[in-house]
Amino acid sequence: MTGLVFRFATVSGQRIDWRLARNCSVTPAQLGWMYLSLCLVSLGIAACFWMLGAYLVMPFAWLEILAVGIAFAMYGRHAADGERISLQGSRLVVERETAGRLERAEFDRSRVRVEPKTGDHSLIMLSAQGRSVEVGRFVRPELRPALASEIRMALRAA
């Protein structure tokens, strides 16, 4: 596998890995700290108004914190979503993680077909031996054909 140039993959020895992940600007830990600071500020302001006699501000502050907390939890649940494709020896291993649930499929590299699902910008279908897996969710649609050809090239080399 020497001499091959990859745009999406990393090569270590005889192993080729494609790590396709969601582009997240905030990690779950940063999100937690941000939520905690938002709670402190919102409840602090609500407490000041409550002490001044505006008692209805506090329930709305709690409602706001609850709504933002639900939105942050939904974001955090999918922050680590991704796909990992590994080619080592005669095996192609595809792992997809969605909301903490991991799906794994293994294929014999000599039998794998790589093709777009329906059109030029659709997901990439990896299929062999009656099983198939779609990959490329976290790659821009116009770059999926390049990823598919890179996977084909790696499968042929060896």
Side-chain angles (χ1 to χ4, degrees):
M1 291 191 213
T2 58
L4 296 177
V5 178
F6 294 105
R7 178 178 181 179
F8 300 99
T10 56
V11 179
S12 57
Q14 293 296 313
R15 183 182 176 120
I16 303 173
D17 288 313
W18 291 268
R19 175 75 178 127
L20 311 171
R22 184 179 298 274
N23 186 9
C24 293
S25 58
V26 179
T27 66
Q30 291 171 329
L31 191 65
W33 284 109
M34 190 181 341
Y35 181 66
L36 179 65
S37 64
L38 177 69
C39 289
L40 291 174
V41 169
S42 185
L43 289 177
I45 292 170
C48 290
F49 277 101
W50 183 73
M51 285 190 274
L52 292 172
Y55 300 114
L56 289 178
V57 173
M58 189 62 79
F60 283 102
W62 281 105
L63 186 62
E64 170 201 13
I65 288 171
L66 179 65
V68 172
I70 291 169
F72 278 11
M74 290 173 61
Y75 171 85
R77 186 169 184 199
H78 291 282
D81 287 0
E83 300 167 339
R84 181 175 177 195
I85 306 166
S86 299
L87 180 61
Q88 184 173 14
S90 65
R91 305 303 294 167
L92 179 72
V93 179
V94 179
E95 296 175 335
R96 296 187 317 171
E97 184 174 355
T98 305
R101 189 173 51 103
L102 184 67
E103 297 175 23
R104 180 184 167 99
E106 274 192 49
F107 300 103
D108 181 11
R109 94 186 271 169
S110 63
R111 298 177 185 248
V112 176
R113 289 183 48 184
V114 182
E115 55 195 23
K117 186 177 173 190
T118 54
D120 288 339
H121 297 299
S122 68
L123 294 177
I124 300 165
M125 180 76 75
L126 303 176
S127 59
Q129 301 148 328
R131 294 179 309 172
S132 61
V133 176
E134 296 174 354
V135 296
R137 281 173 184 75
F138 306 109
V139 177
R140 290 193 336 239
E142 63 271 12
L143 296 176
R144 288 177 188 155
L147 174 63
S149 67
E150 188 172 296
I151 294 170
R152 277 188 210 100
M153 178 181 63
L155 287 169
R156 281 192 298 256

